[in-house]
Amino acid sequence: YQRKYAYQEVSRTLCQPQTKAEVETQHFYVDVSTLSLNTSYQLRVTRVENFVLRTSKPFSFNATAAQPQYFKYEFPEGVDSVIVKVTSAMAFPCSVISIQDILCPVYDLDNNVAFIGMYQTMTKKAAITVQKKDFPSNSFYVVVVVKTEDEVCGGPLPYYPLSKDASPDEPVDQHNRQKMLEVTVSPAITSKAYVSSMLFCLGIFLSFYVLTLVIACWESCRQRKRKGLLVAMDSPSLDTGHSRSIPDSFRGHAPYNSYGYGSFGNGTSSSAEGGVDSVGSTDVPYGYAGQEQFKRRTPSAPMRPLSIAMGERSLENVAGRPRLDSLSSVEEDDYDTLADIDYDKNVIRTKQFLCVADLARKDKRVLRKKYQIYFWNIATIAVFYALPVVQLVITYQTVVNVTGNQDICYYNFLCAHPLGNISAFNNILSNLGYVLLGLLFLLIILQREINYNRALLRNDAHALECGIPKHFGLFYAMGTALMMEGLLSACYHVCPNYTNFQFGECPPRRPRAAPRAAHRLSPADTSFMYMIAGLCMLKLYQKRHPDINASAYTAYACLALVIFFSVVGVVFGKGNTAFWIVFSVIHIVATLLLSTQLYYMGRWKLGEAGARGRGMGLPRCGGCPGTASSLPADSGILRRILHVLYTDCVRQCSGPMYLDRMVLLVMGNIINWSLAAYGLIVRPNDFASYLLAIGICNLLLYFAFYIIMKLRSGERIKLIPLLCIVGTSVVWGFALFFFFQGLSTWQKTPAESREHNRDCILLDFFDDHDIWHFLSSIAMFGSFLVLLTLDDDLDCVQRDKIYVF
């Protein structure tokens, strides 16, 4: 159905054929047709003044739905591309800006303006970059058409009531749909600007490579000098013939009594226990918490030097164990990798005071293979992401180039510099930092792993028994995720729109009017930001809990679930009360389950025999302490949970056994419950960002808790991680400032999105969002370095003197 409109004045600009010169006389016919009866009209022919637009000279004019306007522009010598900017003080009526070749007829009507050339819908701003190579005549027409309806620009669809006596075909009077516009054609940037911008981008990120190399050389020289000094002090004295004694504090680790507890948490063990040779130890019983006695190793031989004892211990660990490296695949769940019985594992992990040595008892080779799976899984995921993403965005860019419809992609058109078939090359180039800095992080991790493996081959005491256990698989996964973030963000910016937003780093809200196939949004196409946040949390937890960290399969399954909820929330969550209720319940239940898992170090289960939890403050979910229960796992669970809460919290009113963990988990639950309540009450349209905010809040909370507990435990932060923390915080602040500038958004129509467009602010090539790319890539790289170097101060501290929190 085509609605009919009534106009009092209609005009068209006649097209001049290319074969006719301006001095020749041309004859033409004018046909007039109307639906009105007995209407008189006046025909007037006038010459169009200022028909040819001048470079960088603004020109103002009026246009209506019945009076379209178009003007001619000719490329001057030495100008290869120009940008056509059209502005208006009034958003409505909606209009269309079209760039067409010099051909007749000119398509300047609402129903045919999209037939040829490039076009955009417009409210207050429009900008189209035109390249000389696309127009053989070195000139083009700028066509302005005012639409009869405003719906495509985000305006309401008008309601025209029909009277009883009116005919459905009677023309509708739209009154005065007139729009005042101003057009300016300015030269675009030259090829020199492209080259200088690319060199600038490369220079910024390659400088990090140079800085890293300088710091590595400085650190290597410092270590060499320190090692030479230690060797000199260990050499026999010329006077006495005995080696000089070196205090522990000089060697780089704290004195033995700097921590008031040992590896078994009884508060009386001395630090020498960590350096005892296990070959010469005997097993003696001792009691724990009033329960059955179990074995504790005590020395039966005199104390020997730390390096000798650790060397023999490492040889003992290797001897008598199967050759695990010969297996093609080693799964942690295939067998128990602890040397002790299962009961001993429960006791150790549920002590009131834990040290890293208690949670670093599994075979290093098995754990190395376990954490390598993180890297191989994310590499596989990256391949399956990248291939369809690249294919999709190439198709989108081809559609834009062939059809000329620039409403498909949500660029910042005032700062969109094309290169070849790519419409906004600057938005793609600015993502180079993610890839280069991600690669640099992988190289740093590789160097650290090589040095660590060499130390293990030398049976170095510090590498074997000191510091946080070194596992590099998660670091490799983080570096790969950072590189993939850059690749997928670049793919997103080839043609940013609603159907591919999850490739990028900026998940926006669902648009108010999404005419382009919202059902094409695929659950497999999501952002790597969720994975980066999840991997950072896992790495932070793994530092002091290497034996009980989540496996790669569990972690990626949970991330897949998060991505699933992200897609469902974006598609169905807007204003859907049922969805928000279900999501909030799942959020709270998941928070409680994770809190219980973290509080009890995984040593709890519902529906099993009570022998697991006796005497250790665990949920007695299988029956009374010390008795076995034959109830199935789903029988009486709620009753037993309520019984435990009553006996432990009401009847006895006992405090938490693990106070530090309880503080963290209480704060985490308060934040997560608050976020769940906020989502349920407010129900924000921007669900993807809301979900990402949940992950970031939990990551920041855990990181702050880690720093506080580290300082509270008497540890210190070295200079390099301290500088990384301060510098990264500052860079994140500036990055977020540019991120929230909002240069475009597909939560609105393309015409309304262009109202947020702004000019370039850096080198006339990069806009605010490009600077966000620069700064956020640097900030993520700095954040990874913080996680990498945060516990370097513990490299010379024995693991039975390092707190677990």
Side-chain angles (χ1 to χ4, degrees):
Y1 174 73
Q2 179 66 43
R3 185 177 287 111
K4 299 177 177 61
Y5 305 94
Y7 300 105
Q8 303 301 321
E9 185 175 358
V10 177
S11 67
R12 299 287 297 278
T13 302
L14 301 181
C15 179
Q16 178 186 2
Q18 290 181 325
T19 57
K20 298 289 185 179
E22 294 183 2
V23 297
E24 296 182 14
T25 301
Q26 301 181 35
H27 301 277
F28 59 90
Y29 295 93
V30 177
D31 294 330
V32 178
S33 60
T34 178
L35 296 176
S36 303
L37 301 177
N38 300 325
T39 300
S40 61
Y41 63 89
Q42 180 182 9
L43 178 63
R44 183 176 59 193
V45 179
T46 58
R47 179 180 176 85
V48 179
E49 302 293 339
N50 300 319
F51 181 69
V52 179
L53 299 174
R54 297 181 180 180
T55 305
S56 302
K57 298 291 184 181
F59 176 71
S60 301
F61 60 94
N62 288 323
T64 66
Q67 295 176 305
Q69 304 282 349
Y70 66 87
F71 305 92
K72 182 179 180 180
Y73 180 80
E74 298 176 349
F75 282 95
E77 291 295 332
V79 177
D80 294 327
S81 63
V82 296
I83 178 170
V84 180
K85 301 178 183 179
V86 184
T87 58
S88 177
M90 50 198 308
F92 299 105
C94 177
S95 58
V96 178
I97 310 301
S98 174
I99 303 297
Q100 302 180 16
D101 201 356
I102 305 298
L103 297 173
C104 289
V106 176
Y107 295 92
D108 58 349
L109 295 178
D110 188 14
N111 58 1
N112 62 15
V113 68
F115 285 1
I116 64 172
M118 301 177 290
Y119 64 93
Q120 297 177 359
T121 54
M122 171 190 168
T123 52
K124 291 184 177 182
K125 290 182 182 179
I128 301 178
T129 300
V130 184
Q131 301 185 73
K132 188 176 182 179
K133 63 181 181 63
D134 296 331
F135 295 92
S137 61
N138 293 336
S139 58
F140 57 87
Y141 286 137
V142 180
V143 183
V144 179
V145 176
V146 176
K147 298 183 71 65
T148 56
E149 302 289 353
D150 297 330
E151 183 184 15
V152 70
C153 290
L157 183 63
Y159 173 66
Y160 301 108
L162 298 176
S163 60
K164 296 181 179 179
D165 300 330
S167 171
D169 293 332
E170 183 177 351
V172 176
D173 188 3
Q174 289 189 310
H175 305 288
N176 184 22
R177 284 183 62 85
Q178 179 174 299
K179 191 164 190 173
M180 183 72 178
L181 303 106
E182 181 181 86
V183 58
T184 305
V185 184
S186 305
I189 62 173
T190 62
S191 57
K192 292 182 180 179
Y194 280 86
V195 175
S196 61
S197 300
M198 287 187 282
L199 293 177
F200 171 79
C201 187
L202 286 173
I204 286 180
F205 299 113
L206 291 181
S207 63
F208 282 88
Y209 283 77
V210 177
L211 181 61
T212 302
L213 183 61
V214 171
I215 294 177
C217 293
W218 172 75
E219 186 70 17
S220 178
C221 294
R222 194 172 70 89
Q223 293 291 342
R224 227 179 255 135
K225 291 181 180 179
R226 182 172 180 173
K227 187 180 297 183
L229 186 58
L230 289 176
V231 170
M233 298 188 70
D234 279 334
S235 61
S237 174
L238 295 177
D239 299 332
T240 64
H242 299 286
S243 60
R244 301 179 180 89
S245 61
I246 306 173
D248 295 327
S249 59
F250 182 81
R251 291 183 182 270
H253 54 79
Y256 283 149
N257 293 327
S258 61
Y259 297 94
Y261 64 99
S263 61
F264 289 90
N266 56 1
T268 61
S269 61
S270 68
S271 62
E273 293 172 357
V276 175
D277 182 14
S278 59
V279 175
S281 63
T282 59
D283 292 337
V284 296
Y286 76 103
Y288 180 80
Q291 301 299 321
E292 296 180 6
Q293 293 180 337
F294 64 95
K295 306 284 185 177
R296 178 184 181 185
R297 291 172 181 171
T298 58
S300 61
M303 296 286 291
R304 282 174 283 180
L306 180 62
S307 59
I308 299 177
M310 290 183 176
E312 294 177 359
R313 182 173 179 178
S314 64
L315 293 177
E316 178 212 6
N317 290 340
V318 175
R321 289 185 178 176
R323 179 80 175 170
L324 300 178
D325 287 339
S326 62
L327 301 177
S328 59
S329 177
V330 179
E331 296 294 342
E332 183 190 9
D333 294 334
D334 290 345
Y335 55 88
D336 191 350
T337 55
L338 287 179
D340 302 316
I341 61 174
D342 186 72
Y343 173 71
D344 186 44
K345 181 196 304 183
N346 292 327
V347 174
I348 289 176
R349 293 185 185 176
T350 53
K351 294 185 307 180
Q352 186 172 3
F353 301 103
L354 275 173
C355 63
V356 171
D358 297 325
L359 298 180
R361 297 159 53 86
K362 294 184 179 179
D363 190 277
K364 298 181 179 62
R365 292 167 294 183
V366 176
L367 289 181
R368 179 169 59 86
K369 291 181 179 293
K370 170 186 175 180
Y371 292 121
Q372 279 179 344
I373 298 176
Y374 275 97
F375 168 70
W376 291 114
N377 279 10
I378 203 168
T380 305
I381 293 171
V383 172
F384 280 93
Y385 265 79
L387 294 179
V389 167
V390 171
Q391 181 181 2
L392 178 63
V393 296
I394 289 177
T395 302
Y396 267 113
Q397 186 65 70
T398 303
V399 171
V400 172
N401 295 338
V402 171
T403 63
N405 182 7
Q406 299 202 357
D407 283 354
I408 296 177
C409 305
Y410 287 71
Y411 303 118
N412 176 19
F413 287 92
L414 291 178
C415 188
H417 304 296
L419 181 65
N421 292 326
I422 299 175
S423 299
F425 175 71
N426 55 304
N427 293 148
I428 298 175
L429 177 64
S430 58
N431 287 283
L432 184 64
Y434 296 105
V435 180
L436 292 181
L437 295 182
L439 178 61
L440 177 59
F441 185 73
L442 291 179
L443 294 177
I444 294 174
I445 297 302
L446 179 61
Q447 179 62 29
R448 283 214 168 197
E449 186 177 22
I450 291 174
N451 293 337
Y452 178 69
N453 290 335
R454 288 175 179 173
L456 291 180
L457 291 177
R458 297 192 307 266
N459 285 331
D460 186 270
H462 290 168
L464 289 170
E465 296 292 343
C466 296
I468 299 296
K470 305 295 191 297
H471 301 292
F472 300 96
L474 270 169
F475 280 130
Y476 282 118
M478 290 162 57
T480 305
L482 183 59
M483 296 179 66
M484 285 305 301
E485 172 65 24
L487 175 62
L488 296 181
S489 177
C491 291
Y492 167 76
H493 285 91
V494 170
C495 183
N497 58 48
Y498 175 68
T499 59
N500 65 357
F501 77 93
Q502 290 194 357
F503 305 155
E505 77 294 337
C506 160
R509 295 190 289 271
R510 184 175 182 175
R512 180 175 57 188
R516 279 176 296 282
H519 63 276
R520 293 174 61 182
L521 182 62
S522 171
D525 299 331
T526 185
S527 173
F528 264 64
M529 289 294 286
Y530 297 105
M531 292 193 179
I532 291 176
L535 291 174
C536 288
M537 293 185 68
L538 286 171
K539 185 58 194 178
L540 203 57
Y541 185 78
Q542 182 210 49
K543 281 178 171 290
R544 313 217 176 201
H545 309 79
D547 285 358
I548 60 175
N549 201 24
S551 67
Y553 305 111
T554 303
Y556 288 124
C558 293
L559 291 173
L561 189 63
V562 171
I563 293 169
F564 170 77
F565 276 108
S566 173
V567 175
V568 173
V570 169
V571 178
F572 303 108
K574 184 178 180 180
N576 192 332
T577 305
F579 167 80
W580 281 101
I581 293 176
V582 172
F583 175 77
S584 299
V585 171
I586 294 176
H587 183 190
I588 293 174
V589 172
T591 301
L592 292 175
L593 291 177
L594 182 61
S595 300
T596 307
Q597 181 75 10
L598 295 178
Y599 184 76
Y600 292 112
M601 297 288 183
R603 311 317 300 163
W604 70 283
K605 281 191 177 181
L606 296 177
E608 287 196 354
R612 253 187 201 279
R614 60 188 171 196
M616 290 179 258
L618 294 174
R620 303 174 183 89
C621 302
C624 298
T627 62
S629 173
S630 60
L631 292 175
D634 57 347
S635 175
I637 290 178
L638 182 60
R639 177 181 58 82
R640 292 193 297 275
I641 292 177
L642 294 177
H643 176 70
V644 170
L645 293 176
Y646 172 74
T647 56
D648 289 353
C649 301
V650 179
R651 185 176 178 181
Q652 299 179 1
C653 194
S654 57
M657 179 176 293
Y658 316 114
L659 183 60
D660 294 335
R661 269 178 265 168
M662 178 61 71
V663 172
L664 169 66
L665 295 175
V666 168
M667 293 175 60
N669 276 268
I670 291 175
I671 292 177
N672 282 276
W673 286 49
S674 300
L675 289 171
Y678 171 81
L680 185 61
I681 297 173
V682 179
R683 284 176 284 179
N685 294 329
D686 194 350
F687 180 79
S689 294
Y690 166 77
L691 193 59
L692 185 60
I694 293 176
I696 293 177
C697 288
N698 283 275
L699 174 60
L700 293 178
L701 172 66
Y702 189 30
F703 181 76
F705 172 82
Y706 193 95
I707 294 293
I708 294 173
M709 291 302 301
K710 180 178 177 66
L711 299 176
R712 181 172 175 265
S713 302
E715 302 172 10
R716 63 187 180 90
I717 300 177
K718 299 181 73 174
L719 179 61
I720 291 181
L722 182 61
L723 292 177
C724 288
I725 291 175
V726 175
T728 300
S729 301
V730 174
V731 174
W732 269 124
F734 284 104
L736 292 175
F737 169 78
F738 287 102
F739 174 75
F740 287 111
Q741 293 305 303
L743 301 180
S744 62
T745 172
W746 47 254
Q747 63 178 322
K748 300 180 181 179
T749 62
E752 291 175 311
S753 173
R754 276 185 280 273
E755 295 181 14
H756 303 278
N757 290 178
R758 297 181 187 175
D759 292 322
C760 304
I761 62 173
L762 180 62
L763 301 177
D764 289 330
F765 192 83
F766 299 110
D767 60 16
D768 299 74
H769 199 73
D770 294 325
I771 298 178
W772 149 256
H773 288 160
F774 290 146
L775 297 179
S776 63
S777 61
I778 295 173
M780 286 186 184
F781 175 71
S783 301
F784 289 178
L785 289 182
V786 170
L787 292 178
L788 177 64
T789 61
L790 185 59
D791 290 314
D792 283 354
D793 61 300
L794 303 176
D795 285 346
C796 296
V797 179
Q798 292 174 254
R799 289 173 190 163
D800 61 348
K801 299 178 182 62
I802 302 176
Y803 279 96
V804 170
F805 41 76

